[in-house]
Amino acid sequence: MDMIHMNIVESAMIAIAREMGINVQKTAYSTIFSEAEDFTCALANRNGELMAVADFCPAQIGGVPLLVRSMVKEIPLSDMSEGDVIVHNDPYRGGLHTPEHTVFKPIFVNKEIVAFSVCIGHFVEVGGMVPGGFPGEATEVFHEGLRVPPVKIMKEGKDVPEVWKMMLANVRTPRGNYGDIRALISAVDLGEERLKSLIEKYGAQAFERTVQDLMDYSEKRMRAELETFKDGKYTFIDTIEDDGIEDKKYEIHVAVYVQGGEVVVDYTGSSKQAKGPINATLGVAWSAAFNAILHMTDETIPLNSGCLRPIRVIAPAGTVMNVDYPGSSVGGNTESHPLIVCAIFGAMVNCVPDRVMASEGTTHGCFVFGGHDPLNDEPYGGFDFSYVGYGGRLFADGNDATDSINGNCANTPMEVFETRFPWIVEEYALRPNSGGPGKFRGGLSNVKQMLCTGEMLVSQMTNKHKLSAWGLEDGQEGALGATLYKKSGTEKWETTVEGYGKVSPSKYSNIPMTPGDRVRVLAPGGGGYGSPLERSRSSVEEDVREGGERGDGGDRARGQGEGQG
């Protein structure tokens, strides 16, 4: 094992993945790619093992190995030719949820496949019962949108017209989807070109041997790290507040077994799968476990399939942790995944208290909308993120207004948002008093108030409107989230339950909005760590100055007093 050579090859592959990502950002049509960066680019070997990835979305990173293996089961290596490009979004074939499309390109050297160039991207529009791809009231996968099994969208470098027609005929925004698919294809083309150059420099056999050494090294590093964890069984139960269909709670049971440099994450005991779209796929169950363990271990360990080998996952089928066909799962990747990660943190506080945090806001907000653009005479669809407070830690306050722990997505500038969509943003700010009090307080979330300037349908898939982010070691809960609507000509802010008769205030479909209507989205804050009585005087004074501590007596539980006229 030549450490210098191995590090050079790893750095080169990470650079390739990063360049692929820049390519997506610069060429995609949708703001979820060009601004929010909700995509991941990676390189995998012929066996589906992750070789390298840049700093993209943790949910997607952990999903790569299962996605590639599932794809190869249906399209064997022997059926692939140079220039082929495969697309896939099926949540029952290793996918994470319906909006997430994965594009694969086999990389040939000397007429043999040596690797795959991979790009995963979240498409805003996938058809289904709502514009924007997040039907909060879906009860089966067919409500979510077009489901594409692994299929070649390009053969030997040429488009497959029938596949393109099928995919674009089933979405509301064919022009935008066409551009976004092309962006992902151009990224895997670039990955192929750059990796071929790297392999030609060192030779195919030397490259493959180096990658295997890299994975083995990563595995050894991870096992050594986990050996510092105290052996034992660590448990926790967290709760999903509802599923959008029934006003009932669903439990996520986590048991983490640590022994001799290995970890087993067992979800046995979790609630049976829900009628609504909060269920996790197997890919999400895997990815969430990987995400949590990676957050608790040395960040310098090379991120590839080697470091995942000591982590095993048990996810019983037919539960909220492993949905059975044809159950709905679109919210499992955005809402359940961060809840799972935080549940694992809750379990591991008794094992590695200095490496976990209290619960974060565990949601991406997923405020989606769509309608007809009269200026361009075509449909449009949009996705807007909310940014939550992270949990306090043993040594520090939680981060403020950060994308939930499985996303890593960026903020869309207001100027871009208002230019692309019929909204005027009236307020966008940190949300005062939203972090849970503690020796180290929870992070503040954000608040966004928007004025509608066109006719549209709005849907949402979010969380923590009924159950707050929990604190640790006597830390207090963070503020609940809320989405409040005010119809034109009225002064009353209402939830969707109050104003539209929906079952859930956080998961719903097709709310009609017209010019003059307003919506106010308040993201949930993070839980605190440690007793608030132990917070230093200087930190309390800074809280008051910065708005990090309750000072107005307002009702944080529902956002009352936080509306505007």
Side-chain angles (χ1 to χ4, degrees), residues 83-85 152-160 182 185:
D84 288 354
V85 176
K152 294 182 183 180
I153 196 168
M154 298 186 73
K155 288 184 178 180
E156 299 181 0
K158 296 182 180 179
D159 287 343
V160 180
R182 285 291 184 199
I185 291 175

Side-chain angles (χ1 to χ4, degrees), residues 1-18 43 51-53 194-195 197-199 201-203 206-207 210-211 213-214 217 302 304:
M1 184 183 292
D2 184 337
M3 292 295 296
I4 295 176
H5 179 66
M6 188 176 69
N7 276 280
I8 291 171
V9 170
E10 183 204 10
S11 296
M13 291 193 295
I14 292 173
I16 291 170
R18 186 172 291 118
L43 299 170
M51 298 193 302
V53 66
R194 295 288 190 264
L195 191 64
S197 296
L198 182 67
I199 294 172
K201 182 177 181 179
Y202 295 107
F207 172 78
T210 301
V211 169
D213 287 345
L214 176 63
Y217 170 73
N304 55 54

Side-chain angles (χ1 to χ4, degrees), residues 524-543:
Y529 194 109
S531 171
L533 299 177
E534 297 179 14
R535 190 162 179 79
S536 69
R537 179 180 293 274
S538 61
S539 295
V540 172
E541 291 172 350
E542 183 180 1
D543 289 341

